[in-house]
Amino acid sequence: MSHQALSPAEAALRDAALHYHREPKRGKISVTPIKPLSNQIDLSLAYSPGVAYPCLDIQKDPAKAVEYTARGNLVGVITNGTAVLGLGDIGPLAGKPVMEGKGCLFKKFAGIDVFDIELAERDPDKLVDIIAALEPTLGGVNLEDIKAPECFLIERKLRERMNIPVFHDDQHGTAIISSAALLNALELVGKNIWDVEVAVSGAGAAAIACLDVMVALGVQPQHVHACDSKGLIYQGRAAGYDESKARYAHPDTGARTLADVVKGADVFLGCSTGGVLTQDMVKTMADKPVILALANPRPEITPEDAKAARPDCIIATGRSDHPNQVNNVLCFPYIFRGALDCGATKITEEMKLACVREIAALAKVETVAEVAAAYAGQKLSFGPDYIIPTPFDPRLILRIAPAVARAAAQSGVATRPIADLQAYRASLEHYVYQTGMVMRPVYASAKAAPDAVKRVAYAEGEDERVLGAAQIAVDDRLARPILIGRPAVIEQRIAKAGLRIRLGRDVENVDPDNDPRFRQYWETYHRLMARNGLTAETAKAAVRRSNTTIGALMVRLGDADALLCGTHGRFDQHLDHIRDIIGIEPGAPGYATINAIMMPERTLFVTDTYVNEDPGADLLAAIAKMAADEVRNFGVPPKVAFVSHSNFGSSKRASALKVRRARDLFCEQMPGVQCDGEMHGDDALSATLRAQAVPDSTLEGEANLLVCPNLDAANILFNVLKLTVSNGVTVGPILLGTAAPAHVLTRSATVRRLINMTALAVAEAAARGVKMRE
């Protein structure tokens, strides 16, 4: 990527990325205190004089640093900026956004804190000295974007000097994921890893690391034929080669080019440049070839070209828009999670191989309902297009971290071996569903949805927030927006906001004052409402003046796949239009709403926040059932708490008895879902408090779905959380029970919430595949 002229899509991405990094706070990470500091007593404990006591304890026993400080959960993401992504040698300061981004992934996927450290030092020995001196601060080191061959020397020397895990992700992360892909691909094509011939394009840090792991798994070194920018690496090559490549240099056979070594190869490994593997080369490969084309952003060959040349091939790339993405996020958060938790002093080959095997095994395990729901419309079963798990499979941390901890103990590098791995695995569930990554599977599902179900009608098409959301939806290919509103007003506001979308080109426009479908719409509305006192003239007027009515009719008649409304006006008014026109899903008890708030430490869903004022026990149980099903659509197993002023029978008031009865009914209807109640809100989030009240709770850990006794309780709870929780992201209201996707937002909706709801509506439309055309 350079400063050359950008395409419109690239310019849009640039503008969105710059805004993301600048607003509302600069950068992507911060240091946040985790202990109270609200009075003189807190101050005396956090600092002088109380802080002296943990200092003295650590002086006597350095292992106590894990108990008293954040070091045991702190990784340094360290670079000198000499090989940053596809940008090259841009220097440490320019590389800082990448390191902050890596820190976000560590935190979001595995709960690991990060200091990003950018060092203005190019001399490898001096760099080693600086990083090694940071050992008292850090629990682990993730080397990032350091160019080859220096990265090999730096990592090797740091591993020798430091007694904490050191991991160069550019090498080993790619190696672990690609090796897992290789194992599964070879299983599918029926080839033995000991027999395969491997042709390699690229011999930098990532390629050599990949080969080392593959050899450890069984690939024979003499079967590896590696090419760098100067051609095939062979003994005595006039152009020479550095020490890191020597172990894959073989006697001269006369072969010189990539085309020479690809011929007859079973496996192609690419860590080089886009487009270097041609279709003609692929045609010369052995039967059922395995292609790992990992160059980014453009792979060595695209899946389409590879499949066209060899329909029998299995291909993986580094891109998220193709099946079988080799993505390092499948690995690095979880290998560090396991290493930190067992106090590993090194990341050994055994730990890496354990990670490989767990990733490979997970792809062959039956997809859980939550993952399938989150990736609706995508085939997630072991096969040529699914040889490695999706990056957002919540089971990754539950499998990889314990396997890594076990391997560390077996390797003799665990200073705190984990005796009860089953209990450890259960404790890791805390990191799985309680992070800001909950929306990611929804976005993945929306992006993968066919265009035929991506038509989202926005009732308030003139709203600046809606226009901003429509721009992002177009740029990210999340949806095909339909803006309902006056075209002149929309165009004027698009220009004022500096947006690039154009009516008729990027987005559809429905003008309430001039649309050729007006007669069809008002006649349909009249037919639906004639027995409710609606005359033909009133129907005409309603279709002219109510954008929500138009949007609902579009969904009803198949002109749109989903409706978003509610950024202006009263919630109940919008809901009435949806009820009258779209109707209730067959089998649903009626409508209800659920809101989600994604906080740094947990994600909570709250129901019913907007519809049912005081539901009886039967309806409350039915609402909980619809809400639990919706939680599953986020890839999250629902854990339900029926909350009340009463705590397990402490009150006999009617509302307490109602909630208790609703819980009993829900348990009968959904026996496979964890739930309990009636209980206080704090008991819902604390297993310790719950155990003090009842010894046999049917809910484990924290609840993630709070079912409130009435609308007031649910609405107040959600809105207070929304405003008081720092960095919380909200989704909703999500309208449950509709016959087709339709959601009523609120006046406080932001562009971000509109985008979240757009993705959710498209994912819902894809999962339903509902067409309502009469």
Side-chain angles (χ1 to χ4, degrees), residues 521-588:
Y521 284 5
W522 75 255
E523 286 182 345
T524 300
Y525 189 43
H526 181 229
R527 184 166 61 254
L528 290 170
M529 300 299 295
R531 292 184 179 276
N532 287 280
L534 189 77
T535 65
E537 290 305 313
T538 307
K540 291 178 185 179
V543 172
R544 287 287 191 209
R545 70 170 181 263
S546 170
N547 288 8
T548 298
T549 298
I550 295 171
L553 286 164
M554 294 187 76
V555 173
R556 170 113 193 168
L557 294 171
D559 294 333
D561 302 299
L563 167 66
L564 295 181
C565 59
T567 57
H568 297 280
R570 292 187 302 108
F571 182 96
D572 289 347
Q573 189 174 29
H574 293 284
L575 184 62
D576 286 343
H577 294 313
I578 291 171
R579 180 183 288 109
D580 292 341
I581 299 167
I582 293 177
I584 296 172
E585 183 178 17

XYZ file of all heavy atoms in Angstrom, residues 521-588:
527
model
N -49.011 -0.228 -3.033
C -48.781 -0.171 -1.590
C -50.048 0.225 -0.842
O -50.422 -0.400 0.165
C -47.634 0.793 -1.270
C -46.259 0.239 -1.577
C -46.085 -0.995 -2.204
C -45.116 0.949 -1.231
C -44.829 -1.494 -2.472
C -43.846 0.458 -1.500
C -43.708 -0.771 -2.125
O -42.459 -1.260 -2.381
N -50.724 1.290 -1.307
C -51.903 1.712 -0.522
C -53.042 0.693 -0.644
O -53.797 0.488 0.323
C -52.349 3.125 -0.882
C -53.079 3.362 -2.174
C -52.598 3.924 -3.302
C -54.470 3.078 -2.448
N -53.565 4.010 -4.273
C -54.740 3.496 -3.767
C -55.513 2.510 -1.708
C -55.984 3.362 -4.370
C -56.765 2.386 -2.290
C -57.002 2.794 -3.610
N -53.138 0.045 -1.794
C -54.187 -0.971 -1.923
C -53.911 -2.155 -1.004
O -54.833 -2.714 -0.389
C -54.286 -1.435 -3.375
C -54.954 -0.419 -4.293
C -55.073 -0.933 -5.721
O -54.398 -1.943 -6.052
O -55.825 -0.325 -6.513
N -52.656 -2.552 -0.904
C -52.291 -3.636 0.020
C -52.591 -3.230 1.456
O -53.162 -4.016 2.240
C -50.800 -3.985 -0.129
O -50.552 -4.405 -1.471
C -50.404 -5.091 0.835
N -52.226 -2.002 1.813
C -52.455 -1.518 3.183
C -53.960 -1.453 3.467
O -54.426 -1.846 4.558
C -51.806 -0.147 3.350
C -51.794 0.363 4.768
C -51.481 -0.475 5.844
C -52.086 1.692 5.043
C -51.460 0.007 7.139
C -52.071 2.185 6.334
C -51.760 1.334 7.381
O -51.749 1.809 8.668
N -54.707 -0.990 2.509
C -56.161 -0.912 2.701
C -56.750 -2.308 2.897
O -57.605 -2.518 3.771
C -56.809 -0.218 1.496
C -58.288 -0.077 1.619
N -59.163 -0.438 0.612
C -59.072 0.368 2.649
C -60.397 -0.219 1.011
N -60.384 0.274 2.242
N -56.310 -3.265 2.091
C -56.822 -4.626 2.205
C -56.497 -5.210 3.586
O -57.333 -5.893 4.197
C -56.219 -5.499 1.103
C -56.766 -6.925 1.082
C -56.415 -7.638 -0.220
N -54.988 -7.757 -0.425
C -54.273 -7.047 -1.289
N -54.859 -6.110 -2.033
N -52.976 -7.233 -1.424
N -55.324 -4.916 4.095
C -54.936 -5.446 5.403
C -55.739 -4.808 6.537
O -56.033 -5.468 7.546
C -53.437 -5.200 5.643
C -52.447 -6.005 4.798
C -51.026 -5.474 4.992
C -52.502 -7.488 5.195
N -56.081 -3.518 6.395
C -56.640 -2.759 7.512
C -58.103 -2.366 7.321
O -58.658 -1.645 8.155
C -55.803 -1.482 7.722
C -54.345 -1.756 8.050
S -54.163 -2.698 9.577
C -54.796 -1.500 10.760
N -58.734 -2.825 6.265
C -60.111 -2.393 5.979
C -61.061 -2.742 7.108
O -62.006 -1.991 7.412
C -60.591 -3.023 4.664
N -60.883 -3.876 7.758
C -61.771 -4.280 8.849
C -61.377 -3.655 10.191
O -61.903 -4.009 11.228
C -61.804 -5.799 8.957
C -62.477 -6.455 7.757
C -62.597 -7.953 7.896
N -63.273 -8.543 6.748
C -64.591 -8.629 6.595
N -65.392 -8.165 7.551
N -65.107 -9.174 5.512
N -60.411 -2.741 10.124
C -60.044 -1.979 11.317
C -60.401 -0.506 11.141
O -59.799 0.363 11.771
C -58.547 -2.125 11.591
C -58.197 -3.498 12.131
O -58.363 -3.782 13.325
N -57.732 -4.371 11.253
N -61.349 -0.265 10.239
C -61.856 1.098 10.080
C -61.048 1.972 9.154
O -61.262 3.196 9.107
N -60.090 1.399 8.407
C -59.243 2.193 7.531
C -59.880 2.296 6.147
O -60.116 1.284 5.479
C -57.856 1.560 7.403
C -56.806 2.404 6.691
C -56.285 3.488 7.621
C -55.646 1.529 6.215
N -60.177 3.522 5.707
C -60.755 3.732 4.386
C -59.649 3.797 3.338
O -58.467 3.914 3.652
C -61.547 5.040 4.349
O -60.637 6.127 4.529
C -62.613 5.068 5.440
N -60.056 3.760 2.072
C -59.084 3.848 0.982
C -58.334 5.175 1.037
O -57.107 5.228 0.836
C -59.780 3.684 -0.369
N -59.052 6.260 1.303
C -58.404 7.569 1.354
C -57.406 7.647 2.508
O -56.316 8.218 2.378
C -59.458 8.671 1.475
C -60.296 8.874 0.230
C -59.435 9.136 -1.006
O -58.505 9.971 -0.905
O -59.671 8.509 -2.048
N -57.803 7.081 3.641
C -56.892 7.079 4.790
C -55.656 6.242 4.495
O -54.530 6.591 4.887
C -57.598 6.529 6.039
O -58.814 7.244 6.243
C -56.720 6.668 7.271
N -55.827 5.118 3.788
C -54.692 4.276 3.421
C -53.734 5.032 2.516
O -52.508 4.962 2.667
C -55.181 3.006 2.738
N -54.286 5.771 1.541
C -53.433 6.577 0.661
C -52.631 7.597 1.461
O -51.424 7.767 1.258
C -54.297 7.303 -0.377
C -54.936 6.411 -1.413
C -55.799 7.251 -2.357
C -56.562 6.380 -3.346
N -57.425 7.194 -4.247
N -53.306 8.287 2.376
C -52.633 9.313 3.177
C -51.548 8.705 4.060
O -50.455 9.276 4.214
C -53.656 10.056 4.024
N -51.845 7.527 4.627
C -50.875 6.876 5.511
C -49.611 6.490 4.755
O -48.489 6.660 5.249
C -51.505 5.643 6.162
N -49.787 5.974 3.536
C -48.615 5.563 2.748
C -47.806 6.786 2.321
O -46.589 6.712 2.175
C -49.064 4.715 1.534
C -47.906 4.433 0.593
C -49.673 3.403 2.011
N -48.455 7.912 2.141
C -47.725 9.139 1.786
C -46.933 9.699 2.975
O -45.821 10.189 2.813
C -48.708 10.208 1.314
C -49.297 9.972 -0.062
C -48.305 10.209 -1.161
N -48.939 10.220 -2.477
C -48.329 9.864 -3.587
N -47.080 9.450 -3.548
N -48.959 9.909 -4.749
N -47.512 9.618 4.171
C -46.904 10.352 5.284
C -46.083 9.488 6.244
O -45.344 10.033 7.071
C -47.982 11.093 6.076
C -48.914 10.198 6.867
C -49.799 11.003 7.802
N -50.675 10.147 8.589
C -51.930 9.875 8.276
N -52.466 10.422 7.189
N -52.662 9.081 9.042
N -46.187 8.158 6.156
C -45.486 7.309 7.116
C -44.440 6.463 6.411
O -44.763 5.507 5.701
C -46.469 6.385 7.862
O -45.752 5.422 8.615
N -43.184 6.804 6.617
C -42.097 6.043 6.001
C -42.016 4.625 6.565
O -41.623 3.697 5.858
C -40.767 6.755 6.213
C -40.647 8.008 5.370
O -41.611 8.440 4.737
N -39.464 8.600 5.359
N -42.375 4.455 7.821
C -42.359 3.110 8.399
C -43.422 2.238 7.749
O -43.199 1.046 7.500
C -42.562 3.177 9.925
O -41.491 3.916 10.503
C -42.585 1.780 10.534
N -44.569 2.822 7.448
C -45.603 2.079 6.725
C -45.072 1.628 5.368
O -45.260 0.478 4.954
C -46.859 2.943 6.547
O -47.392 3.266 7.830
C -47.916 2.219 5.723
N -44.391 2.527 4.654
C -43.817 2.178 3.350
C -42.802 1.049 3.504
O -42.823 0.061 2.760
C -43.153 3.412 2.704
C -44.203 4.472 2.386
C -42.387 3.006 1.439
C -43.604 5.802 1.946
N -41.903 1.192 4.484
C -40.877 0.170 4.688
C -41.464 -1.182 5.042
O -41.017 -2.226 4.551
N -42.487 -1.181 5.885
C -43.127 -2.439 6.267
C -43.818 -3.078 5.070
O -43.786 -4.305 4.889
C -44.121 -2.199 7.402
N -44.449 -2.265 4.226
C -45.081 -2.792 3.023
C -44.044 -3.352 2.054
O -44.281 -4.357 1.376
C -45.911 -1.701 2.343
C -47.223 -1.348 3.052
C -47.780 -0.019 2.538
C -48.256 -2.470 2.872
N -42.888 -2.721 1.977
C -41.819 -3.236 1.115
C -41.406 -4.638 1.554
O -41.209 -5.532 0.725
C -40.615 -2.298 1.140
C -40.862 -0.933 0.530
S -39.356 0.048 0.397
C -38.574 -0.756 -1.010
N -41.270 -4.823 2.861
C -40.909 -6.148 3.372
C -42.050 -7.123 3.103
O -41.832 -8.256 2.657
C -40.575 -6.081 4.874
C -40.361 -7.478 5.441
C -39.333 -5.212 5.106
N -43.256 -6.695 3.356
C -44.424 -7.561 3.149
C -44.526 -8.030 1.694
O -44.846 -9.185 1.415
C -45.687 -6.801 3.536
C -46.983 -7.522 3.136
C -47.746 -7.972 4.290
N -48.803 -8.919 3.943
C -49.474 -9.628 4.832
N -49.178 -9.518 6.120
N -50.418 -10.462 4.460
N -44.243 -7.130 0.763
C -44.414 -7.419 -0.665
C -43.139 -7.937 -1.323
O -43.120 -8.146 -2.536
C -44.910 -6.164 -1.387
C -46.314 -5.701 -0.978
C -46.632 -4.341 -1.563
C -47.359 -6.725 -1.408
N -42.085 -8.143 -0.543
C -40.858 -8.705 -1.098
C -39.958 -7.710 -1.789
O -39.009 -8.098 -2.481
N -40.193 -6.405 -1.618
C -39.331 -5.386 -2.207
C -38.152 -5.043 -1.308
O -37.255 -4.292 -1.708
C -40.136 -4.110 -2.500
C -41.190 -4.337 -3.577
O -40.977 -5.236 -4.418
O -42.216 -3.628 -3.573
N -38.156 -5.542 -0.100
C -37.033 -5.388 0.836
C -36.978 -6.645 1.706
O -37.986 -7.362 1.836
C -37.208 -4.139 1.701
N -35.822 -6.911 2.259
C -35.655 -8.103 3.088
C -35.718 -7.803 4.578
O -35.927 -8.710 5.381
C -34.301 -8.759 2.766
C -34.188 -9.117 1.297
O -34.998 -9.923 0.832
O -33.297 -8.558 0.617
N -35.531 -6.539 4.942
C -35.561 -6.163 6.361
C -35.882 -4.685 6.461
O -35.678 -3.917 5.513
C -34.221 -6.476 7.024
N -36.361 -4.299 7.635
C -36.725 -2.902 7.897
C -36.059 -2.441 9.182
O -36.098 -3.137 10.198
C -38.249 -2.774 8.035
C -38.773 -1.436 8.605
C -38.475 -0.283 7.649
C -40.281 -1.526 8.890
N -35.465 -1.244 9.117
C -34.988 -0.560 10.321
C -35.681 0.793 10.396
O -35.699 1.549 9.418
C -33.468 -0.359 10.280
C -32.592 -1.612 10.302
C -31.124 -1.226 10.292
C -32.906 -2.474 11.514
N -36.250 1.093 11.549
C -36.953 2.355 11.737
C -36.780 2.783 13.194
O -36.181 2.071 13.994
C -38.433 2.203 11.392
S -39.300 0.947 12.382
N -37.316 3.964 13.538
C -37.382 4.349 14.936
C -36.409 5.416 15.394
O -36.441 5.791 16.568
N -35.544 5.928 14.504
C -34.625 6.975 14.954
C -35.372 8.287 15.222
O -34.819 9.193 15.840
C -33.513 7.221 13.923
O -34.095 7.558 12.660
C -32.652 5.983 13.765
N -36.591 8.380 14.731
C -37.486 9.503 15.055
C -38.852 8.923 15.411
O -39.235 7.853 14.932
C -37.634 10.463 13.865
C -36.362 11.129 13.459
N -35.839 12.212 14.114
C -35.488 10.824 12.465
C -34.701 12.577 13.543
N -34.465 11.742 12.533
N -39.576 9.651 16.260
C -40.933 9.236 16.597
C -40.999 8.283 17.775
O -39.987 7.937 18.390
N -42.231 7.855 18.095
C -42.455 6.992 19.249
C -42.295 5.528 18.875
O -42.730 5.079 17.810
C -43.865 7.222 19.809
C -44.073 8.602 20.437
C -45.436 8.683 21.120
N -46.545 8.417 20.196
C -47.268 7.307 20.221
N -46.987 6.332 21.105
N -48.266 7.139 19.362
N -41.706 4.772 19.774
C -41.490 3.338 19.545
C -42.819 2.637 19.255
O -42.932 1.862 18.294
C -40.821 2.717 20.774
C -40.502 1.253 20.631
C -39.243 0.837 20.232
C -41.465 0.275 20.889
C -38.942 -0.514 20.083
C -41.180 -1.070 20.747
C -39.918 -1.458 20.346
N -43.819 2.896 20.081
C -45.095 2.187 19.943
C -45.765 2.463 18.604
O -46.429 1.588 18.037
C -46.041 2.571 21.080
C -45.596 1.991 22.412
O -44.720 1.112 22.405
O -46.116 2.434 23.458
N -45.600 3.670 18.094
C -46.216 4.018 16.810
C -45.583 3.186 15.685
O -46.291 2.650 14.825
C -46.037 5.510 16.545
C -46.806 6.023 15.346
C -46.698 7.532 15.222
O -45.714 8.140 15.633
N -47.724 8.161 14.670
N -44.270 3.101 15.697
C -43.580 2.270 14.699
C -43.993 0.803 14.843
O -44.219 0.110 13.851
C -42.062 2.402 14.849
C -41.524 3.750 14.504
N -41.387 4.178 13.202
C -41.081 4.770 15.289
C -40.874 5.403 13.195
N -40.679 5.786 14.454
N -44.076 0.355 16.088
C -44.415 -1.046 16.334
C -45.817 -1.373 15.815
O -46.044 -2.467 15.276
C -44.332 -1.348 17.836
C -44.560 -2.805 18.241
C -43.492 -3.706 17.633
C -44.565 -2.933 19.767
N -46.719 -0.431 15.945
C -48.077 -0.666 15.442
C -48.076 -0.922 13.934
O -48.784 -1.807 13.440
C -48.975 0.540 15.760
C -49.357 0.606 17.230
O -49.213 -0.426 17.928
O -49.780 1.683 17.690
N -47.288 -0.153 13.204
C -47.217 -0.345 11.751
C -46.655 -1.725 11.416
O -47.146 -2.397 10.503
C -46.350 0.737 11.114
C -46.924 2.115 11.216
N -48.241 2.402 10.923
C -46.358 3.305 11.584
C -48.458 3.689 11.088
N -47.323 4.256 11.501
N -45.637 -2.146 12.137
C -45.046 -3.463 11.886
C -46.044 -4.565 12.214
O -46.195 -5.539 11.471
C -43.749 -3.616 12.707
C -42.681 -2.676 12.163
C -43.261 -5.068 12.703
C -41.443 -2.589 13.026
N -46.761 -4.398 13.306
C -47.752 -5.402 13.716
C -48.862 -5.501 12.663
O -49.288 -6.597 12.283
C -48.337 -5.037 15.079
C -49.380 -6.038 15.576
C -50.003 -5.607 16.890
N -49.083 -5.738 18.009
C -48.518 -4.717 18.652
N -48.811 -3.464 18.278
N -47.698 -4.907 19.661
N -49.316 -4.354 12.173
C -50.421 -4.346 11.218
C -50.020 -4.921 9.859
O -50.837 -5.570 9.186
C -50.929 -2.912 11.013
C -51.619 -2.352 12.255
O -52.025 -3.154 13.118
O -51.723 -1.111 12.360
N -48.791 -4.702 9.445
C -48.398 -5.013 8.068
C -47.553 -6.282 7.963
O -47.832 -7.157 7.138
C -47.655 -3.813 7.437
C -48.582 -2.602 7.397
C -47.132 -4.166 6.048
C -47.877 -1.293 7.078
N -46.541 -6.402 8.790
C -45.647 -7.569 8.713
C -46.204 -8.726 9.520
O -46.141 -9.887 9.115
C -44.224 -7.193 9.171
C -43.612 -6.210 8.164
C -43.351 -8.434 9.330
C -42.242 -5.713 8.533
N -46.753 -8.433 10.673
C -47.406 -9.456 11.469
C -46.470 -10.235 12.369
O -45.273 -9.950 12.471
N -47.039 -11.222 13.024
C -46.327 -12.025 14.020
C -45.906 -13.352 13.409
O -46.645 -13.956 12.636
C -47.226 -12.260 15.256
C -47.541 -10.918 15.940
C -46.573 -13.227 16.240
C -48.568 -11.016 17.043
N -44.732 -13.789 13.741
C -44.226 -15.067 13.247
C -45.123 -16.201 13.741
O -45.497 -16.236 14.926
C -42.795 -15.283 13.748
C -42.133 -16.544 13.240
C -40.703 -16.668 13.731
O -40.330 -15.975 14.700
O -39.963 -17.470 13.144
N -45.480 -17.145 12.878
C -46.310 -18.273 13.320
C -45.675 -19.000 14.504
O -44.491 -19.315 14.496
C -46.350 -19.173 12.078
C -46.125 -18.247 10.928
C -45.183 -17.195 11.434
N -46.467 -19.213 15.535
C -45.982 -19.893 16.726
C -45.433 -18.980 17.789
O -45.236 -19.404 18.937
N -45.188 -17.712 17.454
C -44.672 -16.764 18.447
C -45.812 -16.284 19.341
O -46.952 -16.146 18.892
C -44.000 -15.588 17.760
